[in-house]
Amino acid sequence: MSKTSTLFGLDENNRRIMRLARTLSIFLPVVSVAITLSSTFTVIFVAEALGAGDFISGMSLVGILLVVQMTVQIALDYPTGAIGDWIGQRYIICCAFLSFGIAFLLLSLVTTSTHFLLLVLIYVLIGLGSSQMSGSFQAWFDNNFRVAIGEEDHDRKQYGMFWGRIGMLFQIVATLTIVPGAVIATIMGRPFVFQLQAVLCLIIAISALFFIRDFKEVEDERPERPSMSEYKNILVGGLSFLYNDKYVFHIVLGSCFIMSTITVWGNLILFPMYFSYLVTDIAVSSYRTILFIPGVVAQERSGIWSKRFDPRTWIPRFRALQLGGVLFFLAIAMIMFLFPPPSNVDNMVHLIFPGTDFVIMSIPDESVIPVILMTIVFSSTSFFGGFAEILTQRILLDAIPNKIRNSMYSLTPTIGTILALPQIAFFGWALPALGFPLTLLMVSAIAAVGVMQLKKGLGLPVQRDNEQITSLSISA
């Protein structure tokens, strides 16, 4: 198509990019709401149901459910990613949100008398949905962006700037969703929030079939009638490509080590830590909202400021500094060692919105200093993860061929989840036995292994042309 053809002053490439931007700008906020609305209290809700109202007692069984979810995700993540490359990402996204929708609907029925097997089914569905969604939106956009941009943006700085802004939009919506989710749960009950999420997931699933469309050039790369042998070639080709290309191998492995520690942090440590210091749903939701504000700025700036940094030099440094990185875990461990969770929750301090009598949140007076210090750590490290993610994607956009992109983007979280499973089993024991500080120190050491792998990979040369590697792999 001619680049000189214009419509309202836009050439063909720009019109195509704007179409991609519009689609993601509509979908991702809705996805953000559907995922974030109950995120503050989902784990606590399940733990309370399993512990007869005591979430601490129920956490050991929650650990078992998380292992079930991750096992399903490990088993299906890469195969479903390859299916996305085989038949197109829109079908995978549709199935993912149907799985999430059913899971949320069943979750709304959970009580303290619910049989454990129903919760197992719920977490199986969540694992199924997660395995299908991982990498799907990213792969769809990257494949079509490469076609739309043509020979322009050879250094992928425009690509990085775009993803920074998309990340900012996602973060803004997530930020604005947290407190309303807690308020709705307080007024209408937590089951109502889960039911609302189920409806949103159904809307996303149906809409994906109509709007997540590929450009003709991307469609033409797929066979007119996909065969099972083509699927097997893609499945084997992705693994072979990762094995043969040491540059990509070490980048992916390093990213997976860091991803595994973030999984442990988010699923096992984060919310117990929040509730230990902040006590109530509203306080946790309000605090998370406050923390998301610098995250919004970080997402928007990351695409612009990251243009100044060389990926090979700065990706390992940013990964070490990022929220969920080596120094982050060390800093949180130090804060929790010096200022342990309060033993007395009777004396509360009220945070008032300036110039009004509106109480933003109430927390125990012993929590004030550690919460302020944690806020500084969260805010100061939030920028670095955005920088690292944008720089990494700039490398992988050209390092991974379109034909196996979705499968490779799904293989990364699969490896990350495999690495996280034994950690969750071990740290699930270590957290109550050894306490937060020592557990965080050990998590930090694993994140350091990931940083070293990244540094090793980025020090290697790009060995050979990606399409040639893929051709060799798939024909093998």
Side-chain angles (χ1 to χ4, degrees):
M1 298 183 182
S2 174
K3 293 183 183 180
T4 59
S5 61
T6 60
L7 177 65
F8 304 118
L10 298 176
D11 62 27
E12 179 67 15
N13 285 6
N14 282 330
R15 291 206 307 274
R16 287 177 153 203
I17 293 171
M18 285 187 67
R19 172 189 154 187
L20 295 175
R22 281 195 304 269
T23 302
L24 282 186
S25 297
I26 293 170
F27 263 89
L28 291 187
V30 182
V31 169
S32 181
V33 172
I35 293 173
T36 310
L37 204 59
S38 65
S39 60
T40 296
F41 54 78
T42 299
V43 171
I44 302 301
F45 174 81
V46 173
E48 286 178 347
L50 293 171
D54 180 7
F55 78 86
I56 295 296
S57 300
M59 283 303 296
S60 59
L61 290 176
V62 169
I64 295 174
L65 292 173
L66 289 172
V67 169
V68 170
Q69 174 191 328
M70 291 180 181
T71 301
V72 172
Q73 188 168 346
I74 287 170
L76 300 177
D77 210 335
Y78 182 59
T80 56
I83 290 175
D85 288 323
W86 179 40
I87 63 175
Q89 280 75 41
R90 58 183 172 143
Y91 301 107
I92 294 298
I93 293 171
C94 175
C95 291
F97 282 93
L98 285 176
S99 298
F100 286 140
I102 297 171
F104 281 127
L105 184 61
L106 293 176
L107 194 57
S108 71
L109 304 177
V110 170
T111 65
T112 53
S113 60
T114 297
H115 198 284
F116 185 69
L117 288 179
L118 178 61
L119 285 161
V120 171
L121 174 60
I122 291 170
Y123 276 76
V124 167
L125 288 168
I126 294 173
L128 176 61
S130 299
S131 71
Q132 294 172 99
M133 192 181 75
S134 66
S136 296
F137 279 109
Q138 182 85 55
W140 172 78
F141 176 81
D142 286 2
N143 287 346
N144 288 277
F145 179 86
R146 290 182 66 181
V147 169
I149 202 66
E151 299 300 321
E152 301 173 24
D153 194 33
H154 59 88
D155 56 3
R156 302 312 185 194
K157 291 182 178 180
Q158 183 178 339
Y159 169 86
M161 186 182 302
F162 176 83
W163 267 110
R165 289 172 179 172
I166 287 294
M168 177 192 70
L169 178 62
F170 191 92
Q171 195 87 346
I172 287 173
V173 175
T175 301
L176 297 176
T177 301
I178 294 172
V179 171
V183 172
I184 294 171
T186 301
I187 297 172
M188 304 295 295
R190 289 171 174 174
F192 179 82
V193 178
F194 296 135
Q195 291 165 8
L196 181 57
Q197 288 177 286
V199 172
L200 288 173
C201 288
L202 178 61
I203 293 172
I204 295 169
I206 295 172
S207 300
L209 294 176
F210 295 96
F211 297 105
I212 304 297
R213 297 273 184 174
D214 290 316
F215 295 132
K216 185 177 184 301
E217 294 89 334
V218 178
E219 286 283 3
D220 288 345
E221 291 184 7
R222 299 190 185 98
E224 185 176 348
R225 293 183 179 178
S227 64
M228 186 55 67
S229 62
E230 178 71 14
Y231 169 67
K232 291 178 181 177
N233 285 340
I234 293 172
L235 199 64
V236 174
L239 292 169
S240 182
F241 170 78
L242 184 64
Y243 176 78
N244 286 320
D245 194 315
K246 299 304 178 185
Y247 176 74
V248 175
F249 173 80
H250 287 292
I251 292 174
V252 169
L253 185 61
S255 299
C256 288
F257 268 107
I258 295 169
M259 186 184 303
S260 71
T261 61
I262 294 174
T263 300
V264 173
W265 165 255
N267 287 283
L268 203 62
I269 301 174
L270 179 61
F271 286 102
M273 183 194 76
Y274 276 156
F275 279 90
S276 295
Y277 284 97
L278 299 170
V279 182
T280 66
D281 282 3
I282 296 294
V284 172
S285 298
S286 299
Y287 183 64
R288 290 184 69 208
T289 300
I290 293 170
L291 292 180
F292 267 79
I293 293 173
V296 170
V297 179
Q299 286 290 344
E300 193 276 333
R301 291 287 92 188
S302 61
I304 298 173
W305 291 348
S306 63
K307 293 190 294 183
R308 306 175 185 177
F309 301 103
D310 173 59
R312 287 175 177 263
T313 302
W314 285 95
I315 287 175
R317 297 177 185 179
F318 287 146
R319 288 299 186 194
L321 292 168
Q322 72 175 42
L323 192 153
V326 180
L327 296 181
F328 170 83
F329 289 128
L330 290 176
I332 297 296
M334 181 62 67
I335 292 170
M336 298 195 74
F337 176 75
L338 296 175
F339 304 96
S343 56
N344 181 10
V345 296
D346 294 329
N347 299 321
M348 305 295 284
V349 174
H350 306 293
L351 179 61
I352 308 295
F353 192 85
T356 71
D357 295 328
F358 179 74
V359 178
I360 298 176
M361 65 179 179
S362 300
I363 63 175
D365 56 359
E366 294 180 42
S367 297
V368 172
I369 293 177
V371 166
I372 290 173
L373 293 175
M374 287 179 185
T375 303
I376 294 171
V377 173
F378 275 104
S379 301
S380 60
T381 58
S382 60
F383 283 87
F384 302 118
F387 292 158
E389 195 62 35
I390 293 295
L391 293 176
T392 303
Q393 282 305 131
R394 277 172 51 184
I395 287 176
L396 295 181
L397 180 65
D398 294 310
I400 298 174
N402 282 359
K403 191 175 181 67
I404 58 170
R405 186 174 301 280
N406 198 164
S407 53
M408 285 300 300
Y409 285 176
S410 293
L411 183 59
T412 300
T414 299
I415 298 172
T417 306
I418 291 173
L419 294 173
L421 271 178
Q423 293 180 55
I424 284 181
F426 174 74
F427 291 127
W429 164 84
L431 189 60
L434 304 178
F436 282 99
L438 284 177
T439 301
L440 287 165
L441 286 176
M442 290 185 284
V443 174
S444 176
I446 296 172
V449 174
V451 172
M452 288 187 287
Q453 284 291 326
L454 281 170
K455 188 171 183 179
K456 180 178 180 179
L458 291 165
L460 297 173
V462 180
Q463 295 175 327
R464 43 185 169 159
D465 179 74
N466 294 323
E467 298 297 341
Q468 291 177 0
I469 294 174
T470 307
S471 176
L472 290 170
S473 302
I474 291 178
S475 63

